[in-house]
């Protein structure tokens, strides 16, 4: 079974509008972390936001917020006030077993976001 | 600025030759580094976990004799693609967890685009 599922291969959003990128995950481990990364065409991976499984509040970082619904196992990324520079691939990722050393990070297949002027 | 530096950013090599890719942590010591491979329009797939002073841990299906990993110091891990073939052409990217606990995200290198001709 897929550990990270991103069902939107591509998304369009008008500049200055908000957009939500979907992510659902599957784990039986009570301790895990969820990440979102941005990958522009240059290939670098840019960390955006992190949510821990025990965090009570949704994570926010500037224009990025993570809509964490633990019972539904979803961790959607919300980008507010989209900018042209936001056009990129976006990956949802998960790290399980946080209590025992650096565990590997599993990535979803990504969503390609295009911001329209 | 970037805390993980990866070189080279791109390389073209002849079939049958070997290519070495370096991953350096600039501002911190990294006892663990991860090597990923990404095919066009696909997600990142973990190849191996590099551990300073010990053997790397390879993911299932990754040939350890073909993808040699050396983590000789706390700031440097290298991936050598031996006897490269056109099917090894891909985007290779490393990451290192930053100090501060399990909840911190991993910074990524800039990636290396390998083309084998």
């Amino acid at each position: 079974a897929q550990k990270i599922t991103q069902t939107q291969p591509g998304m369009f959003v008008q500049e200055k509008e908000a957009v939500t990128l979907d992510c659902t995950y599957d784990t039986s481990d009570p301790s895990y972390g969820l990440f979102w990364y941005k990958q522009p065409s240059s290939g670098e991976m840019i960390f955006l936001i992190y949510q821990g499984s025990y965090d009570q509040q949704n994570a926010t970082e500037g224009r990025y917020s993570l809509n964490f619904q633990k019972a539904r196992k979803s961790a959607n990324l919300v980008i507010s006030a989209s900018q042209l520079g936001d056009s990129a691939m976006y990956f949802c990722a998960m790290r399980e077993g946080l209590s025992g050393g650096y565990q590997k990070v599993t990535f979803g297949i990504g969503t390609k976001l295009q911001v329209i002027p | 600025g970037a805390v993980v530096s990866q070189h080279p950013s791109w390389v073209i090599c002849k079939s049958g030759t070997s290519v070495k890719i370096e991953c350096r942590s600039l501002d911190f010591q990294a006892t663990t580094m991860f090597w990923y491979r990404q095919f066009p329009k696909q997600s990142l797939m973990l190849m191996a976990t590099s551990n300073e002073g010990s053997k790397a841990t390879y993911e299932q299906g990754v040939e350890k004799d073909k993808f040699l990993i050396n983590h000789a110091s706390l700031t440097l891990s290298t991936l050598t693609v031996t006897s490269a073939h056109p099917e090894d052409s891909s985007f290779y990217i490393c990451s290192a967890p930053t100090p501060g606990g399990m909840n911190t995200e991993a910074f990524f290198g800039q990636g290396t685009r390998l083309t084998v001709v």
Side-chain angles (χ1 to χ4, degrees), chain A residues 35 37 39 41-45 47 50 55 89 91 95 98-110, chain B residues 31-32 34 36 38 41-44 46 59 91 93 97-110 113:
Chain A
F35 305 82
Y37 286 87
Q39 186 180 42
S41 57
S42 58
E44 61 187 308
M45 293 291 285
F47 165 75
Y50 167 84
D55 293 344
M89 283 290 290
F91 291 98
R95 174 184 291 151
L98 298 180
S99 60
Y102 290 115
Q103 300 298 319
K104 65 181 181 181
V105 176
T106 304
F107 286 83
I109 63 172
Chain B
T31 57
T32 300
F34 300 98
Y36 294 85
Q38 184 181 30
K41 299 184 180 180
Q42 293 189 25
S43 188
L44 280 73
L46 181 69
E59 295 299 302
F91 186 69
I93 191 166
T98 53
M102 303 299 115
N103 293 349
T104 55
E105 45 77 35
F107 284 102
F108 283 81
Q110 299 92 328
R113 210 166 292 277

Side-chain angles (χ1 to χ4, degrees), chain A residues 62-78:
Chain A
R63 295 187 298 111
Y64 306 106
S65 61
L66 200 152
N67 185 358
F68 182 46
Q69 298 188 39
K70 194 171 183 177
R72 298 178 61 182
K73 293 188 176 179
S74 74
N76 298 340
L77 176 70
V78 180

Side-chain angles (χ1 to χ4, degrees), chain B residues 1-116:
Chain B
V3 295
V4 175
S5 178
Q6 184 174 343
H7 292 281
S9 56
W10 62 270
V11 58
I12 301 173
C13 71
K14 290 184 177 181
S15 185
T17 62
S18 296
V19 174
K20 180 184 284 188
I21 303 170
E22 293 187 346
C23 182
R24 293 180 184 274
S25 57
L26 300 181
D27 302 323
F28 64 99
Q29 294 179 333
T31 57
T32 300
M33 290 186 179
F34 300 98
W35 286 95
Y36 294 85
R37 181 175 183 176
Q38 184 181 30
F39 289 107
K41 299 184 180 180
Q42 293 189 25
S43 188
L44 280 73
M45 298 299 295
L46 181 69
M47 298 175 65
T49 302
S50 173
N51 303 298
E52 188 271 334
S54 64
K55 291 182 179 180
T57 304
Y58 290 82
E59 295 299 302
Q60 191 173 11
V62 177
E63 300 176 60
K64 61 181 181 181
D65 294 331
K66 181 169 187 61
F67 299 100
L68 300 179
I69 290 173
N70 188 315
H71 198 146
S73 76
L74 288 171
T75 59
L76 175 64
S77 175
T78 60
L79 167 67
T80 301
V81 183
T82 62
S83 186
H85 291 288
E87 57 265 31
D88 298 324
S89 299
S90 188
F91 186 69
Y92 295 86
I93 191 166
C94 66
S95 76
T98 53
M102 303 299 115
N103 293 349
T104 55
E105 45 77 35
F107 284 102
F108 283 81
Q110 299 92 328
T112 298
R113 210 166 292 277
L114 170 65
T115 302
V116 184

